Amino acid sequence: MTDSSARLLSRTPSLYVVATPLGNLSDISARAQGILAAVDVIAAEDTRHSQRLMEACGVRTRLVALHQHNEQRAAGQLVEWLAAGQHVALITDAGTPAVSDPGAKAVARVREAGYPVVPVPGACAAIAALSVSGFAEGGFRFVGFLSPKSGARRASMAALVEDRDALVFYEAPHRVLECVTDMAAVFGPAREILVAREMTKLHEEIVRMPLGEAVAWFEADSNRVRGEFVLVVDGAPEQEGLGVEAERVLDLLLGELPVKTAARIAAEITGAPKNALYARALALKDAG
């Protein structure tokens, strides 16, 4: 460890959550390289994969494994190292740890033990894809990986149909076609999707299209289902009226409650305007 790299570390033993490149090694920051060189040990999702990055950056710090199958046990070891006065870095195979990747349990365990957790920001696949989507003017919701089972996957999507924010999903290559098929069925063929494949890597591909065209796009070239995927779905368009979910909830409540009470509770459940719900409830009662 050089004096300059040591100065990057806190005086208190800390866990540094370090973002690493998605693919292009040039995307690693100077601070990240310095931290990785200065700490006493690096906890990595896949030590063999991360060793290539360490060699490219000239980092010789010891690597240990921390992945989804050993995270609880490895987290305890991190706390022991911190208790012994050592500094520890946490990295994943690509991007930011603990965001749909191992690390969240380890971070929680270290915090519970009273040690600082320091972010060293950098690449994040979700933000990289979102930034080129043109969807996030109002906001976004990070969803991450959905269930591998179609029924549960569609149920999760259905709960998001009326969300006005852009929706960011991760998906594996062997499920991406099924996932996009379900998206077209649930969100509708007109909703726009951005498909970001192999970002920053040699075969990077980023396309935007209506969901109704996405399945055919994947099927047109077998190479398009290879790699790592971020799927960004545009938020729901602004609707006139209350929306399907608000109407459904209001209708159910009106079967059991007075108009004013039903409108108030429906507003609390759905977030729809209470006055609009009350007016709609009166109309439904008169029609009945």
Side-chain angles (χ1 to χ4, degrees):
M1 183 195 311
T2 65
D3 291 339
S4 59
S5 61
R7 285 196 293 270
L8 293 169
L9 302 179
S10 167
R11 292 183 179 180
T12 304
S14 304
L15 174 66
Y16 297 85
V17 180
V18 182
T20 55
L22 301 176
N24 190 324
L25 298 185
S26 299
D27 289 340
I28 192 166
S29 70
R31 182 184 175 211
Q33 290 188 67
I35 292 288
L36 293 175
V39 295
D40 299 287
V41 62
I42 300 170
E45 182 180 2
D46 183 332
T47 56
R48 291 173 298 179
H49 176 91
S50 296
Q51 185 59 47
R52 295 193 290 272
L53 174 64
M54 299 303 111
E55 291 172 356
C57 296
V59 172
R60 296 181 174 81
T61 307
R62 178 164 67 107
L63 290 168
V64 298
L66 187 150
H67 46 71
Q68 63 177 339
H69 302 297
N70 78 338
E71 187 170 355
Q72 288 286 14
R73 176 170 52 82
Q77 181 63 71
L78 300 191
V79 172
E80 290 181 15
W81 283 322
L82 293 166
Q86 295 185 309
H87 290 272
V88 182
L90 174 66
I91 63 174
T92 187
D93 286 351
T96 302
V99 181
S100 284
D101 268 330
K105 293 176 183 176
V107 167
R109 185 83 170 270
V110 168
R111 286 196 172 280
E112 288 169 3
Y115 295 98
V117 179
V118 182
V120 183
C124 174
I127 298 300
L130 189 68
S131 72
V132 295
S133 70
F135 294 152
E137 185 176 354
F140 71 94
R141 179 193 293 264
F142 176 70
V143 183
F145 286 100
L146 292 167
S147 171
K149 297 182 179 180
S150 181
R153 188 165 57 233
R154 288 195 179 206
S156 296
M157 292 177 187
L160 301 169
V161 164
E162 295 187 24
D163 200 316
R164 298 289 307 281
D165 293 333
L167 306 171
V168 185
F169 303 88
Y170 287 163
E171 194 50 273
H174 61 282
R175 284 198 304 266
V176 69
L177 188 56
E178 296 175 7
C179 182
V180 170
T181 300
D182 288 343
M183 285 178 170
V186 175
F187 294 118
R191 191 84 71 92
E192 293 270 317
I193 183 173
L194 178 113
V195 178
R197 183 177 79 87
E198 292 289 85
M199 283 190 297
T200 80
K201 301 176 185 177
L202 179 62
H203 299 293
E204 176 183 83
E205 198 165 13
I206 300 175
V207 295
R208 176 173 159 172
M209 69 195 89
L211 268 168
E213 299 174 9
V215 171
W217 181 84
F218 277 104
E219 291 177 338
D221 185 345
S222 61
N223 289 317
R224 290 174 178 170
V225 296
R226 297 178 178 176
E228 301 296 327
F229 291 89
V230 183
L231 308 173
V232 186
V233 176
D234 197 8
E238 187 171 1
Q239 296 180 343
E240 294 184 5
L242 294 172
V244 175
E245 181 64 9
E247 289 269 7
R248 186 185 72 83
V249 171
L250 181 62
D251 188 54
L252 289 172
L253 292 172
L254 281 172
E256 304 292 335
L257 299 169
V259 168
K260 188 173 183 180
T261 305
R264 176 178 58 79
I265 295 175
E268 293 173 357
I269 293 172
T270 66
K274 184 169 66 175
N275 290 341
L277 285 162
Y278 182 66
R280 179 59 175 158
L282 289 175
L284 288 171
K285 281 291 186 182
D286 290 343

